[in-house]
Amino acid sequence: MNSQTYAQKTKLLNPIDDDFLKKMAEDILFCQEVIRTILEDDTLIVLESHTQHTIKNLQGRSVILDILCKSGTGRIINVEVQKGNDVDHQKRVRYHASCITANITDTGSKFQDIPDICIIYISKSDFFKEDKTVYHIDRIIRETGTIVENGLQEIYVNAANKDGSNTSKLMTVFAESNAYDDELFPVTSKRKRYFKEDEKGVAEMCAIMDEIREEGRLEGKLEGRLEGLLEGKEEMRLEMAENLLTMGLSISKVIQATKLLPETVQAMADKLPQPEKSNFLSI
């Protein structure tokens, strides 16, 4: 894809798109302006901000956070942007919160010292379908209706509903190509205009898009090689299973030796001559 085509595609992108957000969020003042607006707190200070922050999980799924910030009060704020509807949004938030909590908590820390976390989840559609721009999720004692806190704040924001609030206006800037609001969101508007209209900004966006696509191509090649290796190992296990069954080894022991699915081994056993099958369960 040539630079001219990239430039044309860049003009169609907005802060709600991953590639565009990555560049926007490199400016800590942009992150601060977004968080201040959604939390309705003009005094909030963002001390640190990181874009595309990776949290490795050696025992499970790792996560890449769109924006991870630390406020002046020590609260950790994760801003996630999601255009699609092919994920379970609430469980994604739950998993992000758990990974962040585990990552920022030192060994031996007391539970009361675990930092507070706020997840701001921005989506293009209103998946709650309650016609609100912002949804604050509270923990409530069912029997009494009392709100209780555990240090986790969940806020869901969408660009689908227009209610006239500042957050709704910010979402318009996020989602619509020609939308700007220099008075309410000077940092966001200036930075968005830079990457969509300024020659240098467009060049930066083209470079990051090219980089991301190159990473995707390399990842695809690696996945292809891995799939090939796995397929090869699968063929070896199938061949081993057939040989063991032919030798008269029981189905349960073949499953244990090859790690194949029980139904796979059973189907192989059913295809073998009946006299040989009669000895399968004897070993």
Side-chain angles (χ1 to χ4, degrees), residues 1 20 45 141 192 274 283:
M1 189 180 297
F20 206 90
I45 300 297
I141 299 176
K192 175 183 174 181
Q274 190 64 36
I283 296 179

Side-chain angles (χ1 to χ4, degrees), residues 110-169:
K110 295 181 179 179
F111 286 113
Q112 62 262 33
D113 296 329
I114 294 175
D116 291 344
I117 294 175
C118 174
I119 309 288
I120 298 175
Y121 193 88
I122 299 173
S123 61
K124 191 170 186 179
S125 63
D126 176 13
F127 55 86
F128 284 120
K129 302 187 185 303
E130 297 284 350
D131 300 323
K132 303 293 183 183
T133 298
V134 181
Y135 298 96
H136 294 82
I137 307 301
D138 295 320
R139 297 177 71 245
I140 297 178
I141 299 176
R142 184 183 303 176
E143 290 74 13
T144 64
T146 303
I147 296 177
V148 292
E149 303 288 350
N150 66 354
L152 172 62
Q153 184 180 20
E154 294 180 44
I155 301 176
Y156 296 84
V157 183
N158 68 82
N161 298 312
K162 311 289 185 181
D163 60 12
S165 66
N166 284 349
T167 297
S168 178
K169 293 175 182 178

Side-chain angles (χ1 to χ4, degrees), residues 2-281:
N2 58 43
S3 58
Q4 185 176 1
T5 304
Y6 270 142
Q8 293 173 345
K9 287 185 173 293
T10 296
K11 292 182 179 180
L12 300 177
L13 296 176
N14 293 292
I16 205 164
D17 296 292
D18 286 340
D19 293 359
F20 206 90
L21 180 71
K22 181 177 181 180
K23 294 301 295 180
M24 293 279 288
E26 289 177 357
D27 187 339
I28 192 172
L29 293 180
F30 161 75
C31 301
Q32 181 173 279
E33 186 172 82
V34 169
I35 295 170
R36 279 184 172 186
T37 301
I38 295 173
L39 296 185
E40 298 181 335
D41 183 359
D42 290 336
T43 67
L44 183 142
I45 300 297
V46 172
L47 297 178
E48 299 178 25
S49 67
H50 306 273
T51 180
Q52 297 294 296
H53 181 77
T54 301
I55 295 179
K56 295 290 186 181
N57 184 352
L58 299 180
Q59 296 182 333
R61 178 176 180 172
S62 299
V63 295
I64 300 177
L65 309 177
D66 288 338
I67 304 173
L68 186 67
C69 299
K70 182 178 181 181
S71 74
T73 61
R75 180 165 55 160
I76 305 300
I77 303 171
N78 171 215
V79 180
E80 287 296 310
V81 176
Q82 177 61 242
K83 281 183 64 176
N85 286 317
D86 57 343
V87 297
D88 189 318
H89 302 283
Q90 292 188 77
K91 285 190 176 179
R92 181 175 180 173
V93 168
R94 171 187 160 192
Y95 190 72
H96 277 211
S98 63
C99 287
I100 294 170
T101 301
N103 185 256
I104 65 176
T105 303
D106 295 328
T107 303
S109 297
K110 295 181 179 179
F111 286 113
Q112 62 262 33
D113 296 329
I114 294 175
D116 291 344
I117 294 175
C118 174
I119 309 288
I120 298 175
Y121 193 88
I122 299 173
S123 61
K124 191 170 186 179
S125 63
D126 176 13
F127 55 86
F128 284 120
K129 302 187 185 303
E130 297 284 350
D131 300 323
K132 303 293 183 183
T133 298
V134 181
Y135 298 96
H136 294 82
I137 307 301
D138 295 320
R139 297 177 71 245
I140 297 178
I141 299 176
R142 184 183 303 176
E143 290 74 13
T144 64
T146 303
I147 296 177
V148 292
E149 303 288 350
N150 66 354
L152 172 62
Q153 184 180 20
E154 294 180 44
I155 301 176
Y156 296 84
V157 183
N158 68 82
N161 298 312
K162 311 289 185 181
D163 60 12
S165 66
N166 284 349
T167 297
S168 178
K169 293 175 182 178
L170 177 64
M171 289 301 99
T172 298
V173 176
F174 257 63
E176 298 180 14
S177 290
N178 298 318
Y180 299 93
D181 195 323
D182 295 293
E183 182 178 352
L184 286 175
F185 319 114
V187 179
T188 300
S189 297
K190 181 179 179 180
R191 195 153 177 81
K192 175 183 174 181
R193 191 177 284 112
Y194 173 72
F195 288 118
K196 290 176 74 72
E197 300 176 7
D198 187 277
E199 185 177 343
K200 291 184 179 179
V202 172
E204 285 185 44
M205 264 314 310
C206 290
I208 194 67
M209 289 175 66
D210 193 39
E211 179 184 326
I212 290 171
R213 278 156 182 75
E214 182 60 32
E215 289 175 354
R217 285 193 289 268
L218 290 175
E219 186 176 340
K221 290 180 181 179
L222 290 174
E223 288 180 353
R225 291 176 183 175
L226 179 59
E227 288 177 3
L229 289 172
L230 291 176
E231 288 176 1
K233 290 183 178 180
E234 183 75 6
E235 291 179 2
M236 292 177 61
R237 288 192 294 162
L238 289 170
E239 183 178 351
M240 180 187 298
E242 184 176 358
N243 290 335
L244 293 175
L245 289 170
T246 302
M247 292 170 58
L249 200 65
S250 68
I251 291 176
S252 61
K253 290 189 177 297
V254 172
I255 294 171
Q256 183 178 0
T258 62
K259 308 299 181 185
L260 290 170
L261 294 174
E263 53 267 32
T264 300
V265 178
Q266 183 64 60
M268 294 178 68
D270 291 341
K271 292 179 181 179
L272 292 177
Q274 190 64 36
E276 295 185 33
K277 283 176 59 180
S278 62
N279 294 324
F280 286 162
L281 300 178

